[in-house]
């Protein structure tokens, strides 16, 4: 089966670095269709250029966050408009395969893509470096699902991270109402609950019964703002930089 990998991304200084790392991971994986969806009103040409250089089969789409949410203070539902766009693209362009949401800043062992490829309904595995608990994972005993371990359960039926599950596309298409809510912190749970009827006990356990970590919720540190500009190192001296 083909893997459809949905990656939300947005313009910021780290964007090309993040996407380069992810792209060069995905270049080691066969039979993938990469949907890179920018939270923007225009495609970023540096992103298009990068995607074209990879040789990966891709779609470069845009899906800006709704204006009212963008203006709101505090927590925002990051990457939801992008993922919704990707889900709809999948609904309109394929009848089978497996869907995975791969944020642009996480770290992926290519083994995770082999683990998820044969998913009948929903498969899950641990995600490292996730919340203060250090890992988010299904709890498994003698090969049987027991519950979830996660640093922020918050009453969720599926307290898991976006990087910790994949969905069969036939299964998804049988659920026309399945969607991701614009609800910070509850995107995963809302989406997985919208796949009803589907119960935690039906989860297909991967990564050696959830004993191995093949994906990490890494986060890139922002550079601190520049200090006073030294005339000798004025940025006009950087005009020789052509790429990006
Ligand atoms: C965690 C989860 O892993 C995300 O899947 C979830 O969307 C997010 O929390 C949330 O609940 O808001 P986190 O590392 O905190 O992720 O968030 P980011 O990595 O900053 O953003 C998630 C994805 O959305 C990234 O691929 C990022 O490029 C994208 N994003 C972020 C946008 O498209 N627009 C934004 O304004 C911010
Ligand atoms: Mn992230």
């Amino acid at each position: 089966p083909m893997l459809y990998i949905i990656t939300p991304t947005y313009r910021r200084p780290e964007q090309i670095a993040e996407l380069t790392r992810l792209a060069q991971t995905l270049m080691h994986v066969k039979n993938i269709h990469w949907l890179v969806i920018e939270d923007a009103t225009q495609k970023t040409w540096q992103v298009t250029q990068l995607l074209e250089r990879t040789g990966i089969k891709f779609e470069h789409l845009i899906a800006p966050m709704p204006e009212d949410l963008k203006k709101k203070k505090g927590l925002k539902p990051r990457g939801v408009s992008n993922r919704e766009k990707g889900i709809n693209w999948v609904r309109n362009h394929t009848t089978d395969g497996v869907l995975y949401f791969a944020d642009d800043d996480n770290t992926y062992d290519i083994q995770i893509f082999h683990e998820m490829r044969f998913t009948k309904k929903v498969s899950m595995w641990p995600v490292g470096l996730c919340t203060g608990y250090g890992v988010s994972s299904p709890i498994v005993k003698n090969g049987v699902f027991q519950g979830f371990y996660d640093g922020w359960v918050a009453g969720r039926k599926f307290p898991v991270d976006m990087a910790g599950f994949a969905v069969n596309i036939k299964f998804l298409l049988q659920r026309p109402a399945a969607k991701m809510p614009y609800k910070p912190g509850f995107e995963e749970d809302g989406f997985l609950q919208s796949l009803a009827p589907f119960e935690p006990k039906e989860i297909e356990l991967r990564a050696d019964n959830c004993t191995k970590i093949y994906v990490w919720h890494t986060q890139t540190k922002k550079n601190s703002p520049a200090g006073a500009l030294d005339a000798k190192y004025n940025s006009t001296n950087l005009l020789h930089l052509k790429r990006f």
Side-chain angles (χ1 to χ4, degrees):
M2 185 71 112
L3 288 183
Y4 290 85
I5 299 174
I6 294 181
T7 297
T9 185
Y10 69 112
R11 277 183 98 145
R12 66 218 193 267
E14 303 82 10
Q15 182 178 36
I16 295 301
E18 307 282 27
L19 288 173
T20 297
R21 188 177 59 232
L22 176 52
Q24 298 199 4
T25 299
L26 295 180
M27 283 163 78
H28 293 283
V29 187
K30 292 194 178 69
N31 296 317
I32 60 169
H33 197 142
W34 192 18
L35 312 184
V36 177
I37 309 170
E38 290 194 67
D39 175 355
T41 51
Q42 282 181 317
K43 293 185 204 178
T44 304
W45 69 265
Q46 289 93 334
V47 173
T48 313
Q49 224 185 29
L50 167 59
L51 292 173
E52 280 168 358
R53 283 174 56 226
T54 63
I56 298 171
K57 185 171 186 189
F58 72 87
E59 307 296 326
H60 185 189
L61 307 171
I62 51 171
M65 186 185 292
E67 278 299 328
D68 51 323
L69 292 171
K70 199 174 286 181
K71 280 193 220 116
K72 252 180 63 179
K73 287 210 182 78
L75 280 183
K76 286 171 201 165
R78 282 162 291 177
V80 174
S81 54
N82 329 36
R83 295 190 197 97
E84 272 292 303
K85 178 95 181 183
I87 293 168
N88 287 326
W89 188 96
V90 161
R91 286 195 192 283
N92 294 321
H93 291 87
T94 181
T95 53
D96 59 8
V98 168
L99 175 77
Y100 180 55
F101 298 115
D103 288 355
D104 61 0
D105 57 340
N106 295 331
T107 305
Y108 305 89
D109 184 315
I110 56 173
Q111 180 64 23
I112 199 60
F113 302 102
H114 304 315
E115 298 281 331
M116 70 177 74
R117 195 175 292 274
F118 297 92
T119 297
K120 292 196 210 76
K121 292 178 179 173
V122 178
S123 57
M124 290 195 187
W125 50 81
V127 179
L129 301 176
C130 203
T131 79
Y133 282 26
V135 62
S136 169
S137 176
I139 301 165
V140 182
K141 203 171 162 186
N142 301 323
V144 181
F145 171 84
Q146 308 283 314
F148 295 100
Y149 180 87
D150 189 277
W152 188 72
V153 174
R156 293 182 294 168
K157 179 172 181 177
F158 298 98
V160 299
D161 186 70
M162 202 65 75
F165 64 90
V167 181
N168 180 287
I169 289 173
K170 270 203 170 71
F171 177 81
L172 175 74
L173 294 179
Q174 287 159 1
R175 288 152 175 79
K179 64 205 283 297
M180 189 169 288
Y182 285 94
K183 197 176 166 195
F186 294 85
E187 296 95 332
E188 298 89 346
D189 185 50
F191 175 72
L192 289 164
Q193 289 209 41
S194 79
L195 296 175
F198 177 75
E199 291 302 316
K201 63 174 191 301
E202 298 176 83
I203 293 165
E204 296 149 57
L205 304 166
R206 292 293 188 269
D208 223 340
N209 274 325
C210 298
T211 59
K212 302 219 166 95
I213 293 179
Y214 294 124
V215 56
W216 293 265
H217 188 262
T218 43
Q219 293 185 292
T220 301
K221 184 168 125 328
K222 301 238 178 252
N223 270 346
S224 35
L229 203 60
D230 185 323
K232 220 165 66 173
Y233 299 104
N234 189 289
S235 57
T236 54
N237 291 334
L238 287 176
L239 293 176
H240 65 286
L241 282 179
K242 291 217 176 56
R243 268 193 61 211
F244 314 136

